[in-house]
Amino acid sequence: MATTPAVNKTFGVSTGKQIRPLKVCIYGTGGIGKSELAANISQCGLKVLFIDADNGSANLDVARAEGVENFADARALLCSDLPLQYDVTVFDTLTKGQEWAEAWTLGNIPKINEKTGDKTYVDSIDSYGWGKGYAHLYETFLRLLGDFDALGRKGKHVITVAHECISEVPNPGGENWIRFEPRLQSPPSGKNSIRHRLKEWTDHLLFVGYDVLAKTDGKETGSGTRAIYPSELPTHWAKSRTLSSPIVYERGSCDLWNLLLEKGV
């Protein structure tokens, strides 16, 4: 028989729009300007700290955290007082962060023999057994997202960057198609998918790509204009809680950040 849980807490009610720190992921092809776009938020009067795991900010005049070389370093930094001295923390890239998480998993989580209970360390995620390595890596990576959330609760914006990959999309009603998605772990079953969890976690998953125009002879051309896509299309993953239309991405522009900060989420 179900019983009502004892409650020793007083609950309240709030109304109206909430203003909270940004949780953003920017992804796209190499060299498209993802790191540059993240750095442009400084033009809104915010202090920005880069955790440059992928060395993508070398040509940018930004503040970088030094000495971050692995997953443990990254978590230690995120939990330190250093990010609290800045308004925005940029993690560049989550794709490299996943590599760090995998190395940490292999070094700290042993494979357990179900019959004998013996523990051994393996050198590959697949060596844990069917699906177990993906589960271990997923749980490890969630700790990083938890550290980002802790910064958000302290009023700090978090911007993450990821590389892209081409993923096949199952279509029960016809032929499958391919689209751009963040390059993060995503088993076909969808279980223990870091990629899907990131999409759930972030308020704004933004794809950065080039505009392409189709010509009548079947060839494609483009003006080289970059665009930020906040809405999902058959060509790419994206989502935004406040934006819907593509934004032209001009070098040095902070239009995206002005819009997101103005809308509050």
Side-chain angles (χ1 to χ4, degrees):
M1 181 177 179
T3 59
T4 303
V7 178
N8 297 315
K9 182 178 182 180
T10 301
F11 297 94
V13 176
S14 62
T15 60
K17 182 178 178 181
Q18 292 183 327
I19 304 299
R20 67 188 190 199
L22 299 174
K23 294 195 299 185
V24 179
C25 179
I26 301 165
Y27 81 102
T29 58
I32 194 71
K34 302 182 293 294
S35 302
E36 175 192 26
L37 178 59
N40 287 348
I41 196 172
S42 64
Q43 297 182 33
C44 299
L46 301 177
K47 290 180 62 179
V48 182
L49 176 68
F50 263 72
I51 302 176
D52 192 357
D54 239 353
N55 297 317
S57 70
N59 294 323
L60 300 174
D61 184 10
V62 297
R64 300 176 194 84
E66 298 292 341
V68 183
E69 300 175 349
N70 52 48
F71 190 71
D73 288 345
R75 293 204 63 214
L77 173 66
L78 289 168
C79 296
S80 73
D81 292 334
L82 183 58
L84 303 183
Q85 302 173 33
Y86 294 82
D87 304 303
V88 185
T89 295
V90 177
F91 196 98
D92 186 3
T93 64
L94 287 179
T95 307
K96 185 65 174 182
Q98 179 181 280
E99 293 179 16
W100 284 355
E102 181 173 337
W104 186 94
T105 299
L106 294 173
N108 291 272
I109 301 178
K111 177 181 179 180
I112 301 176
N113 188 305
E114 295 181 357
K115 294 182 178 180
T116 65
D118 293 339
K119 298 179 180 180
T120 57
Y121 287 91
V122 297
D123 57 5
S124 170
I125 285 294
D126 293 326
S127 298
Y128 284 103
W130 183 259
K132 293 181 180 179
Y134 294 112
H136 289 320
L137 178 54
Y138 177 79
E139 291 170 1
T140 297
F141 194 88
L142 289 186
R143 302 178 189 186
L144 193 62
L145 296 186
D147 295 337
F148 294 154
D149 283 332
L151 285 178
R153 289 191 292 271
K154 295 176 182 178
K156 305 302 179 180
H157 304 290
V158 175
I159 301 172
T160 60
V161 178
H163 295 300
E164 48 74 38
C165 67
I166 295 176
S167 178
E168 184 174 8
V169 183
N171 179 19
E175 295 184 1
N176 295 350
W177 75 90
I178 59 174
R179 69 182 173 194
F180 289 113
E181 296 181 3
R183 195 198 307 167
L184 296 166
Q185 170 182 289
S186 188
S189 67
K191 185 177 181 181
N192 297 316
S193 170
I194 293 175
R195 193 182 306 170
H196 284 272
R197 185 65 187 93
L198 173 69
K199 187 179 183 183
E200 295 168 358
W201 173 83
T202 189
D203 290 321
H204 309 277
L205 176 62
L206 307 173
F207 174 67
V208 183
Y210 291 106
D211 290 331
V212 177
L213 301 176
K215 298 173 67 176
T216 55
D217 59 5
K219 296 180 180 180
E220 293 181 344
T221 185
S223 62
T225 302
R226 297 177 295 177
I228 304 163
Y229 297 94
S231 298
E232 189 162 318
L233 292 172
T235 55
H236 60 261
W237 252 17
K239 64 172 270 192
S240 174
R241 299 192 185 280
T242 54
L243 305 179
S244 57
S245 300
I247 302 168
V248 174
Y249 175 21
E250 297 178 348
R251 183 168 295 278
S253 171
C254 60
D255 291 346
L256 168 68
W257 305 116
N258 285 328
L259 287 171
L260 291 180
L261 293 168
E262 176 185 354
K263 293 179 180 295
V265 177

